[in-house]
Amino acid sequence: MFCEKAIELIRELHRVSDGQLPAFNEDGLRQVLQEMEALYEQNQADVSEAKAAGRADLIPSIKLRHCCLLRNQRCVVAYLYDRLLRIRALRWEYGSVLPANVRFHMSAEEVQWFGQYKKSLASFMRSIGGQEGLDVTQDMKPPKSLYIQVRCLKDHGEFEIDDGTVILLKKNSQHFLPRWKCEQLIRQGVLEHVMS
Amino acid sequence: MDTPSYFPVPPGVGMEENFLSLDDILLSQERLPVRTECVFPRLGFLEKSSDSQDIPEGTKMELPLWLCKGLYEKKRKVLSVELPKIYKEGWRTVFTADPNVVDLHKMGPYYYGLGSQMLHFDSPENPDIANALLQTFIGRFRRTMDSSQNAYNEDTSVLVGRLDCLEKVLFRSGQNGLNGFQCWEKGQAAQLTASSLVLNYRKRKLVDVQS
């Protein structure tokens, strides 16, 4: 049956249901596009024959191949779109700089898309909240206090806070830091929020 | 409790599919028994049991739902689609008798989804099929909702094992609500947490390095 490769692409994404991005299946995509080309060419030939030799009986087969073309198209578009949704989620979970192992899984066009999305989000954030803008990727949970107690889960080097003091983030060290500086590091699993 | 950022396209409701929904694409991959009502020239290779160049009229074969939907026409010149047995009268009586007993996961994981899609094929039994789907759902919903709201911090595989995909989504939704509420009650709702996505990436990286 046609469209087996296309459905494999969809299954690949569906298997990773938590929103992680698997590697870009360039090979698979190419095979689907090749199948589409072959189907299209067979249909072109059959249509000309149907017109020229009056073979209306070829029409059901033409319709069938057309359905396969539409199916392949649907699978490819859904595959690419779902990947973009996952990449968009990366901006909100990881921040603007993606780790190398995640970027390896993205195609060149997807990396470009991520850059443009970042830019759109940044200009949106700058346009709201008065002069300095508003960082909407922060305060995902309603804040209860300005400063929070955090424990360092891994060595992260030096960290500068607003008044100029430099803090050394060494594994297992505890600090009392402004909430807005720590939020991203907590999300990335570098710091742990300690509740008293 | 983690706020999700990945929002996949949800499946369509009722007889409509969502074009971009991965769930709907997988649902429409399910195979249906059909009978060809015309010849399909030069496509004989799709029908494995015979060697002819064309698919003759009257061939019984299995085609995926998406192809059946694409080829089907009301006047039935092209294809006639047979109802899978779980939507036929026999099984319908079993379902309506006691919906809670049935293992919907084994009956084809997309019982409600596929059933709704079968309504596209103008079977005379359509009103009965639609009614059976509805009654089965109503019968099972109470138990699904109940168990999702009361199973806290325990292994739910037994509860979930006999549910169809739609019910599983509802169950998970209920569990998320329950966990969120418990988290809030314990005062943990204000605690900032690491992103589960980030943690999963890290776990996967370790696995890749080890393999």
Side-chain angles (χ1 to χ4, degrees):
Chain A
M1 180 39 68
F2 295 113
C3 313
E4 296 286 329
K5 194 65 195 171
I7 199 74
E8 232 181 80
L9 289 176
I10 300 292
R11 288 212 180 99
E12 199 184 286
L13 282 185
H14 194 254
R15 226 174 287 140
V16 191
S17 52
D18 61 355
Q20 279 195 61
L21 190 71
F24 187 72
N25 194 342
E26 185 158 351
D27 221 15
L29 213 56
R30 195 181 320 124
Q31 287 181 37
V32 176
L33 293 176
Q34 279 172 350
E35 187 184 77
M36 287 177 80
E37 258 190 75
L39 285 167
Y40 183 71
E41 267 157 38
Q42 284 163 17
N43 261 3
Q44 286 283 76
D46 272 10
V47 165
S48 330
E49 191 177 335
K51 278 196 197 155
R55 289 202 57 186
D57 65 307
L58 290 175
I59 292 179
S61 299
I62 295 172
K63 276 184 76 182
L64 192 144
R65 289 195 204 97
H66 189 71
C67 289
C68 297
L69 280 168
L70 292 176
R71 176 69 170 180
N72 275 334
Q73 180 193 48
R74 179 184 182 187
C75 292
V76 168
V77 172
Y79 176 76
L80 295 173
Y81 186 74
D82 193 71
R83 284 183 65 88
L84 288 186
L85 291 178
R86 292 169 195 244
I87 293 171
R88 183 179 70 175
L90 289 174
R91 170 62 186 86
W92 292 84
E93 302 285 312
Y94 261 105
S96 12
V97 180
L98 295 179
N101 64 323
V102 171
R103 288 184 84 215
F104 279 150
H105 285 182
M106 291 163 57
S107 71
E109 290 85 0
E110 287 174 342
V111 172
Q112 200 183 21
W113 185 88
F114 184 76
Q116 286 175 340
Y117 181 74
K118 267 196 318 191
K119 242 181 258 173
S120 288
L121 186 61
S123 56
F124 171 70
M125 295 199 286
R126 256 195 311 271
S127 72
I128 50 177
Q131 272 191 342
E132 318 131 10
L134 179 69
D135 187 349
V136 291
T137 61
Q138 279 207 346
D139 290 332
M140 299 299 258
K141 292 180 182 169
K144 298 283 183 196
S145 56
L146 280 180
Y147 280 70
I148 52 174
Q149 188 81 347
V150 292
R151 183 185 304 122
C152 206
L153 293 175
K154 47 166 76 130
D155 287 325
H156 192 74
E158 296 193 335
F159 187 58
E160 184 174 336
I161 52 176
D162 293 335
D163 61 4
T165 358
V166 175
I167 306 220
L168 179 65
L169 294 178
K170 208 165 149 43
K171 187 167 174 178
N172 286 328
S173 61
Q174 273 192 242
H175 309 275
F176 193 59
L177 296 173
R179 183 202 165 88
W180 59 92
K181 291 288 309 173
C182 309
E183 194 162 350
Q184 216 187 36
L185 288 175
I186 295 176
R187 249 182 132 61
Q188 291 173 2
V190 174
L191 298 176
E192 184 187 19
H193 185 184
V194 178
M195 304 274 282
S196 45
Chain B
M1 200 196 88
D2 202 17
T3 36
S5 304
Y6 166 62
F7 303 106
V9 178
V13 179
M15 285 174 71
E16 293 307 311
E17 287 186 50
N18 274 342
F19 185 78
L20 295 171
S21 160
L22 300 185
D23 286 304
D24 274 342
I25 294 178
L26 288 173
L27 159 66
S28 51
Q29 193 65 19
E30 295 279 305
R31 299 179 92 80
L32 297 174
V34 304
R35 185 181 180 278
T36 56
E37 302 291 340
C38 70
V39 183
F40 285 90
R42 302 174 183 168
L43 290 176
F45 60 89
L46 291 178
E47 219 263 297
K48 306 251 168 68
S49 61
S50 80
D51 271 334
S52 62
Q53 210 196 21
D54 313 328
I55 304 179
E57 181 182 327
T59 316
K60 290 206 169 206
M61 56 192 298
E62 280 199 336
L63 291 179
L65 174 69
W66 56 267
L67 193 51
C68 298
K69 278 175 83 171
L71 290 175
Y72 180 76
E73 277 171 47
K74 258 196 151 109
K75 282 144 195 168
R76 224 171 283 127
K77 292 186 302 170
V78 191
L79 222 59
S80 59
V81 182
E82 199 188 306
L83 281 180
K85 54 179 161 58
I86 50 173
Y87 302 108
K88 286 194 178 153
E89 174 120 30
W91 273 102
R92 289 205 301 262
T93 353
V94 173
F95 286 131
T96 39
D98 187 353
N100 282 304
V101 168
V102 196
D103 184 343
L104 281 190
H105 186 81
K106 207 170 62 173
M107 298 282 126
Y110 296 104
Y111 175 71
Y112 300 110
L114 189 60
S116 308
Q117 292 303 311
M118 290 309 300
L119 300 174
H120 281 290
F121 300 116
D122 303 322
S123 154
E125 300 176 63
N126 270 3
D128 295 318
I129 300 171
N131 201 38
L133 291 174
L134 188 60
Q135 294 307 316
T136 312
F137 183 75
I138 292 174
R140 289 167 67 92
F141 176 67
R142 186 64 193 279
R143 200 172 279 196
T144 313
M145 185 178 88
D146 221 2
S147 59
S148 80
Q149 290 300 294
N150 289 299
Y152 184 60
N153 246 352
E154 53 183 74
D155 180 14
T156 52
S157 50
V158 175
L159 295 165
V160 174
R162 311 177 102 227
L163 300 181
D164 132 295
C165 288
L166 175 67
E167 292 167 342
K168 278 206 188 93
V169 170
L170 289 173
F171 185 87
R172 228 174 300 141
S173 182
Q175 288 269 283
N176 285 340
L178 177 67
N179 290 330
F181 178 70
Q182 292 298 330
C183 181
W184 174 80
E185 259 205 331
K186 291 189 214 163
Q188 281 175 357
Q191 183 175 31
L192 298 172
T193 49
S195 152
S196 57
L197 206 67
V198 173
L199 294 177
N200 283 341
Y201 272 112
R202 205 167 287 151
K203 265 187 239 158
R204 189 151 298 185
K205 194 166 85 170
L206 283 171
V207 170
D208 285 338
V209 169
Q210 282 165 6
S211 62

